[in-house]
């Protein structure tokens, strides 16, 4: 029987670079020397025995190994997940009047995204401001009157409490009004649903 030893290496464009190990210059020289020693030993053994069995020649194909640049690229199918995402919901009721971004636009934390109709809440803030002014004037009068003992401590306490309640209502109205503008909670790429 004849044996044919063939070493074939696909051209660079046909090889799978991700699966092909890199051969360093030293290991390539060792590989070539090992191959040469194996061929010499095989041919010496064949000659010592009077040639290959059946008198046929052994065909050997070889190539010269040279260092070359390998490109490293990977093609894959997958899913990209965001590091963080946020679902925005308005805390204030109302109709969305304005959208302050375009789909796919980058926004920074704190940038305006939506504006909700705020006319009712603006009226509440104006009413609360008027109540603060009125109760502040009453409280200031009560402060002057209590110094001269012209009103009771109960009337003074009532004027002071009314003023404090009016200030708290104004702050609450201002807070609800500020929630009519929806802002980005983190730097992100926008996407409207």
């Amino acid at each position: 029987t004849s044996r044919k030893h063939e070493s074939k290496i696909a051209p660079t464009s046909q090889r799978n670079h991700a699966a092909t190990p890199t051969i360093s210059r030293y290991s390539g020289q060792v590989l070539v020397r090992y191959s040469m020693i194996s061929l010499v030993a095989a041919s010496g053994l064949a000659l010592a025995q009077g040639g290959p069995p059946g008198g046929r020649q052994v065909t050997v194909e070889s190539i010269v190994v040279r260092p070359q640049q390998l490109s490293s690229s990977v093609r894959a199918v997958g899913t990209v997940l965001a590091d963080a995402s946020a679902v925005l919901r308005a805390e204030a009721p109302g109709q969305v009047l304005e959208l302050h971004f375009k789909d796919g636009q980058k926004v920074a934390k704190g940038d305006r995204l939506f504006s909700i109709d705020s006319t009712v809440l603006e009226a509440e803030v104006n009413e609360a401001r008027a109540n603060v002014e009125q109760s502040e004037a009453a409280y200031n009068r009560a402060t002057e009157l209590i110094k001269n003992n012209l009103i009771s401590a109960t009337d003074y306490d009532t004027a002071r409490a009314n003023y404090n309640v009016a200030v708290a209502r104004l702050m609450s109205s201002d807070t609800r009004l500020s929630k009519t503008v929806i802002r980005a909670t983190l730097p992100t790429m926008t996407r409207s649903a």
Side-chain angles (χ1 to χ4, degrees):
T1 63
S2 70
R3 294 182 185 172
K4 181 178 180 183
H5 174 73
E6 295 183 1
S7 294
K8 292 186 180 178
I9 295 180
T12 304
S13 61
Q14 294 176 357
R15 283 188 279 182
N16 179 354
H17 297 293
T20 304
T22 304
I23 299 175
S24 70
R25 174 172 275 170
Y26 176 74
S27 61
Q29 291 173 355
V30 170
L31 180 65
V32 169
R33 288 183 182 154
Y34 178 74
S35 299
M36 296 296 278
I37 292 170
S38 298
L39 288 174
V40 169
S43 62
L45 181 64
L47 290 175
Q49 296 176 351
R56 296 187 186 158
Q57 291 184 342
V58 177
T59 304
V60 175
E61 293 182 17
S62 65
I63 62 166
V64 176
V65 179
R66 292 185 190 104
Q68 60 183 354
Q69 203 66 327
L70 296 177
S71 64
S72 60
S73 65
V74 176
R75 291 185 184 197
V77 176
T79 302
V80 177
L81 299 175
D83 290 336
S85 65
V87 177
L88 301 177
R89 289 188 177 88
E91 293 182 48
Q95 180 181 3
V96 174
L97 294 180
E98 195 172 356
L99 184 68
H100 300 287
F101 68 90
K102 293 181 181 171
D103 202 23
Q105 175 185 342
K106 290 183 180 180
V107 294
K109 182 178 181 177
D111 285 355
R112 295 184 320 158
L113 300 176
F114 303 97
S115 291
I116 297 174
D117 183 16
S118 61
T119 52
V120 172
L121 293 174
E122 287 172 359
E124 284 181 16
V125 168
N126 290 335
E127 180 183 355
R129 277 197 188 109
N131 287 338
V132 166
E133 289 175 11
Q134 181 183 12
S135 61
E136 183 179 23
Y139 174 61
N140 289 337
R141 277 192 305 277
T143 302
E144 290 299 318
L145 293 173
I146 195 76
K147 288 179 185 176
N148 298 325
N149 288 327
L150 297 174
I151 62 169
S152 67
T154 303
D155 289 340
Y156 172 76
D157 290 341
T158 302
R160 184 178 60 190
N162 287 341
Y163 172 70
N164 289 336
V165 168
V167 168
R169 285 186 178 150
L170 175 60
M171 291 171 61
S172 176
S173 295
D174 274 337
T175 300
R176 284 195 308 274
L177 179 62
S178 71
K179 292 180 179 178
T180 60
V181 176
I182 312 304
R183 298 187 179 275
T185 57
L186 49 95
T188 189
M189 184 81 72
T190 58
R191 183 188 66 155
S192 57

